[in-house]
Amino acid sequence: VTTTTDTHSVQSEPSAGAAVVAEPLAVVAKLWALAGGGDGGLHLPLEAMDFLTLTGSEPALPSSFALGTAAQATQAVAGLAAMELGYLRESVSHQHAVDADQLQPQQQYPQRQRVAVDMLEASMECTSYFTVDGKDVEMWAKFSGLYPCADGRYVRIHANFDHHRDGALALLGLRPHQAGDEPTVPMPEKSDVERRLATWQAEDFEQAAADQNLVVAALRTFAQWDSHPQAVAMRQAALTGVSVPTHVTQPSDLDLDLATASLFSVTRISADHDHESLSLPPLTAEDRPLSGLRVLDLTRILAGPVGGRTLATYGADVMLVNSPDLPNIESIAETSRGKLSVHVDLKT
């Protein structure tokens, strides 16, 4: 990968209070190192990054956050990991053919595929437009959104799920929907929520909602976030060990410190050497890298379902397991692309 100013973003001096954005290649290198390091890591080879091409620059979409960098880097790492698995599977098949003296004259030793990710295209992949039964889906429910508070700050209420909506309304002293209500019984209006929140301090309402397992977030400036206990913990834990200079031309030459703490870790299920790892069948020319892999997706909201969707994108057979007794919304369909789906009632 050649890092040049026309394929990777070059950040100017940030304004006061703005976030400092890392180069996309540096973010990819850090994520690749974090996933591959440690005793339980995936042992991802750094030379695989030589087959990565990143194009585009910030701002990919209007935002105070580096959305383009986040989208591009994560999708690049997913693509590289899938490419590496496909390469390994093809290499094993090739070696078996050599050992069995069955190698055909036209067969060449497998080569890694190149992964190319454009920042704008990656960003648009993270947006959502879909229909259910031919009808557009409202992404945000009536009471979801931003509300001003008494201290001039804002809170965001997530009320897409009915139980989150009803809990937030009850916390504000408003009557939520009751089972058995007649259609003529009026629900509170958004203006009622605005009036009640005008008497709350933003962080007080955030904490009161959290105490009741509701989804509410007080908006913060960069400075306020930097002083938050979670931000302090993040600074202490991670994102300090890898530095990629802008003049780097060969990521495989980077000296990455894998001993630094990180925000996430990867544990191999097969790390217990008393158990054999699963052997995957050889790939055909029509297969994707994860073809033949079967996955049960038992996750619920965003992070897990998107992970399952990513596995399905690269060829895995993913079965989403849901329950008729859990709250569900139509937008779950957006993170279920490419999956099989089943409802399991464990109460009967």
Side-chain angles (χ1 to χ4, degrees):
V1 177
T2 301
T3 307
T4 58
T5 55
D6 62 345
T7 57
H8 295 83
S9 65
V10 177
Q11 300 298 321
S12 58
E13 287 296 319
S15 58
V20 177
V21 181
E23 288 284 329
L25 181 62
V27 178
V28 173
K30 177 65 177 178
L31 293 174
W32 192 251
L34 290 176
D39 294 337
L42 303 180
H43 308 296
L44 301 173
L46 199 55
E47 59 267 22
M49 285 191 59
D50 295 336
F51 293 81
L52 174 65
T53 299
L54 302 178
T55 56
S57 61
E58 294 282 12
L61 296 174
S63 176
S64 57
F65 299 99
L67 299 181
T69 298
Q72 183 182 46
T74 51
Q75 291 179 43
V77 170
L80 280 176
M83 174 272 293
E84 189 63 21
L85 178 58
Y87 170 70
L88 291 174
R89 292 178 69 178
E90 291 177 344
S91 299
V92 169
S93 297
H94 185 275
Q95 188 58 52
H96 287 170
V98 171
D99 294 342
D101 197 23
Q102 296 176 348
L103 193 66
Q104 301 299 316
Q106 70 275 16
Q107 284 185 268
Q108 298 180 350
Y109 194 82
Q111 301 293 318
R112 286 186 172 93
Q113 296 183 31
R114 176 162 292 278
V115 175
V117 184
D118 179 75
M119 184 177 288
L120 179 58
E121 292 180 357
S123 301
M124 297 307 297
E125 173 64 18
C126 295
T127 63
S128 299
Y129 175 76
F130 62 98
T131 61
V132 175
D133 296 331
K135 298 179 180 180
D136 291 343
V137 175
E138 289 290 340
M139 293 302 297
W140 293 105
K142 177 179 177 179
F143 293 105
S144 293
L146 291 171
Y147 294 89
C149 294
D151 52 3
R153 295 174 61 184
Y154 285 76
V155 294
R156 178 179 290 279
I157 297 178
H158 194 304
N160 282 18
F161 286 98
D162 290 349
H163 65 295
H164 289 156
R165 176 201 64 198
D166 293 345
L169 291 175
L171 181 59
L172 291 169
L174 297 170
R175 182 183 184 279
H177 175 76
Q178 303 288 339
D181 275 351
E182 296 293 334
T184 56
V185 176
M187 280 282 289
E189 296 297 328
K190 201 164 185 177
S191 57
D192 298 319
V193 176
E194 292 171 345
R195 283 192 293 271
R196 297 298 175 95
L197 278 172
T199 66
W200 281 81
Q201 302 289 307
E203 291 191 28
D204 289 345
F205 186 70
E206 176 190 63
Q207 187 59 56
D211 291 341
Q212 297 190 29
N213 295 319
L214 304 175
V215 186
V216 173
L219 272 64
R220 290 171 170 82
T221 64
F222 284 110
Q224 289 168 336
W225 168 246
D226 287 342
S227 63
H228 192 280
Q230 291 180 3
V232 173
M234 287 172 62
R235 286 197 298 274
Q236 293 173 345
L239 302 182
T240 57
V242 176
S243 176
V244 181
T246 57
H247 63 272
V248 164
T249 59
Q250 291 296 327
S252 56
D253 294 335
L254 295 176
D255 181 16
L256 302 182
D257 179 9
L258 302 182
T260 56
S262 61
L263 292 177
F264 73 92
S265 61
V266 176
T267 302
R268 291 175 55 129
I269 297 176
S270 60
D272 183 350
H273 299 296
D274 292 336
H275 297 83
E276 293 185 4
S277 300
L278 175 67
S279 296
L280 293 173
L283 293 175
T284 68
E286 294 76 25
D287 285 337
R288 284 174 286 171
L290 271 59
S291 292
L293 186 68
R294 303 174 72 183
V295 179
L296 278 179
D297 184 351
L298 306 177
T299 62
R300 283 285 294 167
I301 304 299
L302 290 182
V306 170
R309 185 181 69 184
T310 303
L311 297 177
T313 298
Y314 290 110
D317 292 321
V318 181
M319 172 72 78
L320 172 64
V321 181
N322 207 331
S323 168
D325 297 314
L326 290 175
N328 289 291
I329 54 178
E330 289 180 322
S331 57
I332 287 178
E334 199 276 333
T335 57
S336 302
R337 189 171 67 223
K339 303 178 187 178
L340 303 169
S341 180
V342 64
H343 270 187
V344 176
D345 183 359
L346 297 180
K347 292 185 175 181
T348 59

